């Protein structure tokens, strides 16, 4: 049993930490203020990371978290692969800035979806295309099976109609992976995902949201009006398989949920580190010996937060480790996301409180982290949706029994 | 020495082969499988030791993140799981009511050979280089049966661990072989807890003053697990050069004991132990070269945490069954989110507790720093174990409040995790 960062990923972890400290932190506040301005510094970084990705399959980035990545490894025994390395990288980068990580070119969730379900021909065409992910609509978010955007086959094209909201990097990315239904009457099985490239007639970005946090990351509303998409851009199987249809599109999430948990762990660590520094300057001592009852309230609070943080971190590493070793991890991925999401939110908010006026003011980044963290308990499945998934598994319930 | 190790392993094997209770509880098969591998590995070490002095144990890689158990750990856990469900759970209610561990159970536990895991091979046991994770797994598995019974049965293993870790080689040679003997060691107890409000085990009120070739112990220990039954005490006391542990004969002059019943841990024979100028020979101060009192305390709280993981898991398993069967308003109560989400939260926190404990233990057994990890594990377990206890009662409603179900007992027992210092040792 070994629950530390594996040796072979320590260099990567350190590299990601350097990027976070030297690249993200200095521009963190700047893009919190300049909402919707594109962080041009990221282009250079993305090029750098692309280079590193080519040099090593274990380099930083969301796209390495795919089942393919794990499948390529051939050695026997316990594996530490793409899921774990991507997670470790994400944790460190988000210690720098979650918004900037989300804004990174070619690291979007759309790319993770393509990496997970595209065929080889599609991988060739879109493997290097920056792709956003568009599932959510004005009328449905959590209930993603209820989407109303339609795709109608017309020759060797599909015609898309509908409205998508909250698309991360929806304007900046070169393409968007869009969920649409082939037949509203057939429910989940009829939902397919399509790669739609910007510039396709009928696709329009209608709005960019103004938000509580992660302002460096743009959030777009996109409308599709008779938008013709080549049939070859449908990811996965075009047939409607009532038996397992939805599983295909949902598969992506077992791999990406631990990554979002990793983002939460990264930002929470930032807040913990800074708060410990500030409290230490104010005379607090942390030696992990005195009983919780005999230390100051501030010290005890930080210990508690740190324990919660470690717990979330280990749960998330576990989910990624299971994915790398091809163990079914749907429940564990949700456990990681649920725990990390709520713990990160609690930690960042408490750290503002612990640091008092300094924590609340804009001279420090603590108040920003407390705003940034909230989204991590919402997107990729809210806290409640994760609890539903976990509870259904534990109790052996279907989605019609436990709604 | 080689024949010793093999001989002892064989002795355990034959003892269990003769006992009839494993049959009654359908435990023979898992038992034999375990003992077979357990003794087989002892043979392997023995053979290896004959050749070279330091042969590394066959353990999982230290360079890859790895949550898997070794085959031997896996088998041990399976065997103890059945022991917990077939033997401990059925005995728990009455043991709690009668505030005693049934005598038969103590014999069965000795026959299981648990204490062997605390005694090094050189003294006839099965403890290798790395033992903490295995010990935590043992505690977790037994804890699923019942917290108090598991704690009580773990006291001999704890005492052996404590001596192996913190006593000098001479002291080990004197005290440890008994734990791996046919009849087992005399009953021990680890006395650390003190009764003062806001007591800090790092700043003990119990003192040990050097007087020539003796120490004089003065002070008071409280909630000492199995303290009423013990004939040997391992006592933590403050010396002029820092906190220390003493091996004390419980019959020594100046020691008085009385039952100290508490909210839970009823079967644990908790005792208040008073020391009034108790004379303890200086050579009975535990004198391991790397004695580390903070690490001793950490190994103690990790033991309680590991037990809590097991008992919490038992509570989760219990409420899952109950909530699926109990019908209210025309549906199983588990169809309601207010219920189902509580169950999901328990599962999340229990897995969190488990990983925190495992990580601290894995670090400790590799000789890495682990005080921080153990401290944080305790902070988390103390809070979450109690949450599990109280939510389990809540989910059973009024029925949870009665002794018809084990949840009220777990509620009382799990409150102890935040309170106990000492008593056990991984
Ligand atoms: C900044 C940002 C970026 C985003 N990026 C993307 C993106 O790139 N691509 C994309 O497709 N989407 C994206 N989203 C959308 C996000 O995934 C959804 O907002 C989220 O899934 C929740 O959906 P909703 O907002 O419609 O809330 P609703 O589904 O309306 O939920 C509202 C509340 O009800 C609760 N709830 C809902 N159903 C249940 C239930 N069955 N039981 C109990 N409680 C329930 C929820 O937990 C929540 O608290 C983004 C959102 C934001 C804010």
């Amino acid at each position: 049993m070994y629950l530390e960062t594996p040796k072979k990923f320590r260099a990567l972890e350190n590299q990601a930490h350097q990027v976070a400290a030297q690249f993200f932190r200095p521009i963190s506040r700047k893009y919190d203020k300049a909402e919707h301005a594109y962080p041009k510094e990221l282009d250079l970084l993305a090029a750098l990371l692309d280079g590193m990705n080519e040099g090593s399959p274990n380099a930083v980035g969301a796209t390495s978290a795919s089942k393919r990545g794990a499948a390529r490894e051939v050695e026997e025994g316990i594996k530490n692969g793409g899921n774990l390395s991507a997670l470790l990288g994400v944790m460190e980068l988000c210690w720098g800035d979650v918004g900037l990580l989300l804004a990174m070119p070619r690291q979007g969730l759309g790319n993770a979806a393509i990496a997970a379900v595209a065929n080889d021909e599609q991988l060739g065409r879109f493997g290097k295309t920056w792709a956003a992910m568009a599932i959510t609509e004005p009328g449905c978010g959590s209930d993603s099976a209820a989407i109303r955007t339609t795709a109608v086959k017309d020759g060797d094209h599909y015609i898309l109609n509908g409205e998508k909201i909250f698309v991360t990097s929806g304007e900046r990315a070169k393409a968007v992976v869009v969920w649409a239904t082939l037949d509203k009457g057939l429910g989940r099985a009829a939902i397919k995902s399509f790669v739609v490239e910007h510039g396709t007639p009928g696709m329009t970005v209608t709005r960019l949201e103004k938000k509580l946090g992660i302002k460096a990351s743009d959030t777009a509303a996109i409308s599709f009006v008779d938008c013709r998409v080549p049939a070859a851009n449908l990811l996965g199987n075009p047939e409607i398989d009532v038996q397992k249809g939805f599983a295909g599109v949902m598969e992506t999430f077992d791999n990406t949920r631990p990554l979002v948990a990793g983002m939460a762990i990264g930002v929470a660590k930032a807040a913990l580190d800074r708060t410990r520094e500030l409290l230490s300057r104010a005379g607090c001592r942390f030696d992990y010996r005195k009983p919780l009852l005999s230390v100051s309230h501030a010290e005890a609070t930080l210990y508690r937060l740190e324990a919660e943080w470690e717990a979330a971190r280990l749960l998330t590493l576990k989910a990624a480790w299971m994915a790398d070793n091809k163990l079914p991890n749907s429940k564990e991925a949700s456990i990681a996301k649920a725990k990390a999401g709520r713990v990160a939110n609690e930690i960042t908010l408490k750290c503002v409180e612990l640091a008092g006026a300094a924590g609340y003011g804009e001279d420090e980044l603590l108040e920003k982290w407390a705003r940034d963290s909230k989204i991590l308990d919402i997107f990729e499945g809210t806290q409640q949706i994760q609890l539903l998934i976990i509870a259904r598994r534990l109790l052996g319930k279907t989605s019609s029994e436990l709604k | 020495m080689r024949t010793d190790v093999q001989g002892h392993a064989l002795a355990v094997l034959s003892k269990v082969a003769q006992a009839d209770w494993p049959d009654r509880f359908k435990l023979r098969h898992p038992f034999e499988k375990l003992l077979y591998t357990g003794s087989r590995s002892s043979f392997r070490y023995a053979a290896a030791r004959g050749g070279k002095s330091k042969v590394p144990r066959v353990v999982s890689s230290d360079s890859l993140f790895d949550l898997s158990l070794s085959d031997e750990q896996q088998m041990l856990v399976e065997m103890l799981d059945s022991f917990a469900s077939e033997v401990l759970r059925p005995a728990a209610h009455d043991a709690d009511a009668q505030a005693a561990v049934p005598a038969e159970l103590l014999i069965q536990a000795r026959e299981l050979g648990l204490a062997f895991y605390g005694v090094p091979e050189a003294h006839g046991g099965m403890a290798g280089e790395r033992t903490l994770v295995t010990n935590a797994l043992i505690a977790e598995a037994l804890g699923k049966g019942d917290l108090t019974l598991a704690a009580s049965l773990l006291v001999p293993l704890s005492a052996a661990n404590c001596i192996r870790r913190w006593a000098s080689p001479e002291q080990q040679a004197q005290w440890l072989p008994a734990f791996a003997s046919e009849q087992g060691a005399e009953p021990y107890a680890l006395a650390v807890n003190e009764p003062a409000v806001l007591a800090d085990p790092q700043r003990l009120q119990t003192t040990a003053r050097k007087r020539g070739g003796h120490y004089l112990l003065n002070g008071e220990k409280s909630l000492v697990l199995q303290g009423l039954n013990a004939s040997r005490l391992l006592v933590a006391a403050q010396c002029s050069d820092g906190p220390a542990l003493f091996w004390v004969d419980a019959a020594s002059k100046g020691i008085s004991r009385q039952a100290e019943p508490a909210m839970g841990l009823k079967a644990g024979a908790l005792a208040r132990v008073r020391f009034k100028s108790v004379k303890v020979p200086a050579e009975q101060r535990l004198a391991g070269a790397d004695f580390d009192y903070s690490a001793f305390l950490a190994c103690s709280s990790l033991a309680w945490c590991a037990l809590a993981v097991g008992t919490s898991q038992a509570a989760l398993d219990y409420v899952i069954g109950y909530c699926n069967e109990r019908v209210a308003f025309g549906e199983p109560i588990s169809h309601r989110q207010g219920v189902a989400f509580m169950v999901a939260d328990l599962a999340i926190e229990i897995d969190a507790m488990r990983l925190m404990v495992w990580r601290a233990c894995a670090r400790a057994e590799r000789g890495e720093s682990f005080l921080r990890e153990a401290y944080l594990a305790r902070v988390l377990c103390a809070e979450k174990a109690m949450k599990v206890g109280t939510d389990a009662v809540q989910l059973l409603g009024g029925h949870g409040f009665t002794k018809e179900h084990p949840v009220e007992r777990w509620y009382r027992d799990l409150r102890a995790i935040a309170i106990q210092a000492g008593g056990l040792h991984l």
Side-chain angles (χ1 to χ4, degrees), chain A residues 80 289-290 308 342 403, chain B residues 65 294 337 345 375 384:
Chain A
N80 286 180
R289 278 170 211 256
K290 268 197 209 144
E308 295 280 19
R342 69 195 190 197
K403 297 198 266 281
Chain B
F65 185 91
S294 294
Q337 289 191 355
D345 277 335
Y375 186 91
K384 305 304 180 188

Side-chain angles (χ1 to χ4, degrees), chain B residues 240-320:
Chain B
S240 57
D241 55 347
L245 295 174
F246 293 88
W247 188 100
V248 181
D249 186 338
S252 307
K253 201 163 153 254
I255 294 184
S256 59
R257 286 186 280 181
Q258 75 194 70
E260 191 178 16
M263 174 178 179
L265 303 180
K266 296 250 181 225
L270 298 177
R272 178 72 65 99
V273 186
R274 292 190 181 80
F275 300 85
K276 219 174 144 196
S277 300
V278 177
K279 246 174 116 175
V280 180
E283 52 274 18
Q284 285 174 208
R285 172 175 172 171
L286 269 60
D290 54 355
F291 180 79
D292 179 343
Y293 182 69
S294 294
F296 159 79
L297 287 178
C299 290
S300 166
S301 61
L302 283 173
W304 288 100
C305 290
L307 277 177
V309 173
T311 303
S312 297
Q313 183 67 48
L316 173 64
D317 295 343
Y318 198 86
V319 298
I320 285 175

Side-chain angles (χ1 to χ4, degrees), chain B residues 9 12-14 16-17 30-41 79 111-113 117 126:
Chain B
V12 183
L13 206 62
S14 85
V16 173
F31 214 30
E32 285 177 351
K33 211 163 118 190
L34 175 80
L35 286 168
Y36 169 70
T37 41
S39 51
R40 193 188 50 184
S41 53
M79 197 277 286
E111 284 172 349
L112 273 182
Y117 284 91
M126 306 207 291

